[in-house]
Amino acid sequence: MKSIGVFCGANVGNETYQVEAEKLGRLMAEQGIGLVYGGGKVGLMGVIADAVLATGGTAVGVIPQSLMDREVGHTGLQELIVVETMHERKAIMAARSDAFVAMPGGFGTFDEICEIITWNQLGIIRKPVAFYNVNGYYDKFFEMIDHTVAEGFVKADQRQNLIVESDPELLLQKLRAYSDATSDYWVDFKRI
């Protein structure tokens, strides 16, 4: 596993989220895992990117032109890719990432991670998905997902494939184990 696509807020939320984003960023860099993210220098996006860079890691940002000025693109990255649409952003992030993590965030984070889950479900990609469940942030989200399983809309094995972890070291271990187990799968982005 060489890179992780991280979806997170353009806001920092409370201080705990900022501290945990820094922890995850440092651990990724220390383990030689590159960051692929939304390209902003604000919010948790900027926090994790700065932590990766400060620890000597690699960070690649992908940001639509329409958000470049509003989110203020991070100019200290090894690579900042400016695209026209959110669809391009998501496709590039999916192609450049070996796994995905959703940190706390808002509607954009939910949209991006749910699309990756759907691509896995449809067989477009086969890459591990994890939720960094800081302070139980995603507990209610998973109550809803468990409800969809109980009601017959999501298969139990699809729910079980989602990693939920509040410890960043365990989160990376689980992602690595899943990534190693599925490394023989292919990705066909022409179908996206």
mmCIF file of all heavy atoms in Angstrom, residues 32-56:
data_model
loop_
_atom_site.group_PDB
_atom_site.id
_atom_site.type_symbol
_atom_site.label_atom_id
_atom_site.label_comp_id
_atom_site.label_asym_id
_atom_site.label_seq_id
_atom_site.Cartn_x
_atom_site.Cartn_y
_atom_site.Cartn_z
ATOM 1 N N GLY A 32 5.805 5.460 5.156
ATOM 2 C CA GLY A 32 6.047 5.568 3.723
ATOM 3 C C GLY A 32 4.787 5.517 2.877
ATOM 4 O O GLY A 32 4.842 5.164 1.702
ATOM 5 N N ILE A 33 3.660 5.904 3.453
ATOM 6 C CA ILE A 33 2.387 5.914 2.730
ATOM 7 C C ILE A 33 2.091 7.342 2.311
ATOM 8 O O ILE A 33 2.003 8.247 3.145
ATOM 9 C CB ILE A 33 1.244 5.384 3.619
ATOM 10 C CG1 ILE A 33 1.540 3.954 4.079
ATOM 11 C CG2 ILE A 33 -0.089 5.448 2.870
ATOM 12 C CD1 ILE A 33 0.611 3.448 5.168
ATOM 13 N N GLY A 34 1.929 7.554 1.011
ATOM 14 C CA GLY A 34 1.628 8.879 0.498
ATOM 15 C C GLY A 34 0.170 9.245 0.697
ATOM 16 O O GLY A 34 -0.708 8.386 0.763
ATOM 17 N N LEU A 35 -0.080 10.541 0.792
ATOM 18 C CA LEU A 35 -1.424 11.087 0.934
ATOM 19 C C LEU A 35 -1.933 11.554 -0.423
ATOM 20 O O LEU A 35 -1.237 12.268 -1.141
ATOM 21 C CB LEU A 35 -1.401 12.275 1.908
ATOM 22 C CG LEU A 35 -2.675 13.115 2.011
ATOM 23 C CD1 LEU A 35 -3.808 12.313 2.657
ATOM 24 C CD2 LEU A 35 -2.406 14.400 2.804
ATOM 25 N N VAL A 36 -3.155 11.166 -0.751
ATOM 26 C CA VAL A 36 -3.887 11.713 -1.894
ATOM 27 C C VAL A 36 -5.148 12.317 -1.282
ATOM 28 O O VAL A 36 -5.886 11.627 -0.573
ATOM 29 C CB VAL A 36 -4.245 10.622 -2.918
ATOM 30 C CG1 VAL A 36 -5.035 11.222 -4.072
ATOM 31 C CG2 VAL A 36 -2.991 9.913 -3.419
ATOM 32 N N TYR A 37 -5.396 13.594 -1.525
ATOM 33 C CA TYR A 37 -6.530 14.242 -0.853
ATOM 34 C C TYR A 37 -7.050 15.395 -1.705
ATOM 35 O O TYR A 37 -6.596 15.617 -2.820
ATOM 36 C CB TYR A 37 -6.110 14.704 0.554
ATOM 37 C CG TYR A 37 -5.391 16.028 0.579
ATOM 38 C CD1 TYR A 37 -5.971 17.143 1.175
ATOM 39 C CD2 TYR A 37 -4.137 16.183 -0.009
ATOM 40 C CE1 TYR A 37 -5.314 18.364 1.190
ATOM 41 C CE2 TYR A 37 -3.483 17.390 0.017
ATOM 42 C CZ TYR A 37 -4.077 18.480 0.615
ATOM 43 O OH TYR A 37 -3.428 19.691 0.624
ATOM 44 N N GLY A 38 -7.995 16.141 -1.152
ATOM 45 C CA GLY A 38 -8.701 17.174 -1.895
ATOM 46 C C GLY A 38 -7.953 18.433 -2.251
ATOM 47 O O GLY A 38 -8.499 19.307 -2.922
ATOM 48 N N GLY A 39 -6.710 18.575 -1.829
ATOM 49 C CA GLY A 39 -5.861 19.658 -2.311
ATOM 50 C C GLY A 39 -5.944 20.979 -1.579
ATOM 51 O O GLY A 39 -5.205 21.901 -1.909
ATOM 52 N N GLY A 40 -6.811 21.105 -0.584
ATOM 53 C CA GLY A 40 -6.935 22.367 0.131
ATOM 54 C C GLY A 40 -5.913 22.510 1.240
ATOM 55 O O GLY A 40 -5.361 21.535 1.733
ATOM 56 N N LYS A 41 -5.668 23.774 1.632
ATOM 57 C CA LYS A 41 -4.777 24.007 2.769
ATOM 58 C C LYS A 41 -5.563 24.413 4.004
ATOM 59 O O LYS A 41 -4.993 24.760 5.022
ATOM 60 C CB LYS A 41 -3.709 25.032 2.438
ATOM 61 C CG LYS A 41 -4.173 26.462 2.320
ATOM 62 C CD LYS A 41 -2.969 27.388 2.132
ATOM 63 C CE LYS A 41 -3.404 28.840 2.112
ATOM 64 N NZ LYS A 41 -2.270 29.737 1.966
ATOM 65 N N VAL A 42 -6.898 24.339 3.920
ATOM 66 C CA VAL A 42 -7.764 24.708 5.039
ATOM 67 C C VAL A 42 -8.385 23.464 5.653
ATOM 68 O O VAL A 42 -8.385 22.385 5.055
ATOM 69 C CB VAL A 42 -8.875 25.682 4.573
ATOM 70 C CG1 VAL A 42 -8.274 26.979 4.060
ATOM 71 C CG2 VAL A 42 -9.755 25.040 3.497
ATOM 72 N N GLY A 43 -8.919 23.603 6.842
ATOM 73 C CA GLY A 43 -9.646 22.530 7.501
ATOM 74 C C GLY A 43 -8.781 21.324 7.802
ATOM 75 O O GLY A 43 -7.550 21.407 7.846
ATOM 76 N N LEU A 44 -9.435 20.181 8.013
ATOM 77 C CA LEU A 44 -8.700 18.949 8.279
ATOM 78 C C LEU A 44 -7.856 18.552 7.072
ATOM 79 O O LEU A 44 -6.826 17.900 7.229
ATOM 80 C CB LEU A 44 -9.653 17.811 8.650
ATOM 81 C CG LEU A 44 -10.320 17.901 10.015
ATOM 82 C CD1 LEU A 44 -11.169 16.665 10.280
ATOM 83 C CD2 LEU A 44 -9.310 18.105 11.125
ATOM 84 N N MET A 45 -8.288 18.975 5.874
ATOM 85 C CA MET A 45 -7.479 18.693 4.683
ATOM 86 C C MET A 45 -6.085 19.291 4.841
ATOM 87 O O MET A 45 -5.079 18.622 4.610
ATOM 88 C CB MET A 45 -8.133 19.272 3.420
ATOM 89 C CG MET A 45 -9.344 18.516 2.952
ATOM 90 S SD MET A 45 -9.830 19.005 1.281
ATOM 91 C CE MET A 45 -10.251 20.714 1.499
ATOM 92 N N GLY A 46 -6.029 20.548 5.221
ATOM 93 C CA GLY A 46 -4.743 21.201 5.397
ATOM 94 C C GLY A 46 -3.950 20.629 6.563
ATOM 95 O O GLY A 46 -2.726 20.487 6.481
ATOM 96 N N VAL A 47 -4.647 20.253 7.622
ATOM 97 C CA VAL A 47 -3.975 19.696 8.803
ATOM 98 C C VAL A 47 -3.263 18.395 8.458
ATOM 99 O O VAL A 47 -2.086 18.214 8.775
ATOM 100 C CB VAL A 47 -4.981 19.476 9.959
ATOM 101 C CG1 VAL A 47 -4.335 18.709 11.102
ATOM 102 C CG2 VAL A 47 -5.532 20.810 10.459
ATOM 103 N N ILE A 48 -3.964 17.473 7.797
ATOM 104 C CA ILE A 48 -3.328 16.181 7.491
ATOM 105 C C ILE A 48 -2.214 16.352 6.464
ATOM 106 O O ILE A 48 -1.155 15.734 6.583
ATOM 107 C CB ILE A 48 -4.345 15.097 7.076
ATOM 108 C CG1 ILE A 48 -3.649 13.726 7.087
ATOM 109 C CG2 ILE A 48 -5.011 15.408 5.752
ATOM 110 C CD1 ILE A 48 -4.582 12.539 7.010
ATOM 111 N N ALA A 49 -2.426 17.221 5.479
ATOM 112 C CA ALA A 49 -1.376 17.456 4.479
ATOM 113 C C ALA A 49 -0.126 18.040 5.137
ATOM 114 O O ALA A 49 0.994 17.584 4.870
ATOM 115 C CB ALA A 49 -1.886 18.375 3.378
ATOM 116 N N ASP A 50 -0.316 19.015 6.003
ATOM 117 C CA ASP A 50 0.829 19.633 6.681
ATOM 118 C C ASP A 50 1.560 18.618 7.558
ATOM 119 O O ASP A 50 2.793 18.630 7.628
ATOM 120 C CB ASP A 50 0.379 20.824 7.521
ATOM 121 C CG ASP A 50 -0.011 22.021 6.669
ATOM 122 O OD1 ASP A 50 0.360 22.071 5.471
ATOM 123 O OD2 ASP A 50 -0.692 22.927 7.200
ATOM 124 N N ALA A 51 0.822 17.733 8.226
ATOM 125 C CA ALA A 51 1.448 16.717 9.076
ATOM 126 C C ALA A 51 2.263 15.736 8.247
ATOM 127 O O ALA A 51 3.375 15.360 8.625
ATOM 128 C CB ALA A 51 0.387 15.978 9.889
ATOM 129 N N VAL A 52 1.724 15.315 7.106
ATOM 130 C CA VAL A 52 2.454 14.409 6.211
ATOM 131 C C VAL A 52 3.738 15.084 5.740
ATOM 132 O O VAL A 52 4.829 14.505 5.799
ATOM 133 C CB VAL A 52 1.577 13.989 5.007
ATOM 134 C CG1 VAL A 52 2.406 13.342 3.911
ATOM 135 C CG2 VAL A 52 0.459 13.047 5.457
ATOM 136 N N LEU A 53 3.619 16.318 5.275
ATOM 137 C CA LEU A 53 4.781 17.042 4.747
ATOM 138 C C LEU A 53 5.822 17.311 5.833
ATOM 139 O O LEU A 53 7.026 17.154 5.593
ATOM 140 C CB LEU A 53 4.330 18.357 4.107
ATOM 141 C CG LEU A 53 3.456 18.214 2.859
ATOM 142 C CD1 LEU A 53 2.836 19.557 2.477
ATOM 143 C CD2 LEU A 53 4.233 17.619 1.702
ATOM 144 N N ALA A 54 5.375 17.693 7.028
ATOM 145 C CA ALA A 54 6.302 17.994 8.117
ATOM 146 C C ALA A 54 7.082 16.762 8.571
ATOM 147 O O ALA A 54 8.171 16.884 9.125
ATOM 148 C CB ALA A 54 5.544 18.587 9.305
ATOM 149 N N THR A 55 6.534 15.577 8.294
ATOM 150 C CA THR A 55 7.185 14.322 8.692
ATOM 151 C C THR A 55 7.983 13.732 7.530
ATOM 152 O O THR A 55 8.488 12.621 7.612
ATOM 153 C CB THR A 55 6.124 13.322 9.210
ATOM 154 O OG1 THR A 55 5.250 14.001 10.119
ATOM 155 C CG2 THR A 55 6.754 12.162 9.961
ATOM 156 N N GLY A 56 8.084 14.467 6.433
ATOM 157 C CA GLY A 56 8.891 14.027 5.297
ATOM 158 C C GLY A 56 8.159 13.166 4.301
ATOM 159 O O GLY A 56 8.780 12.538 3.446
#
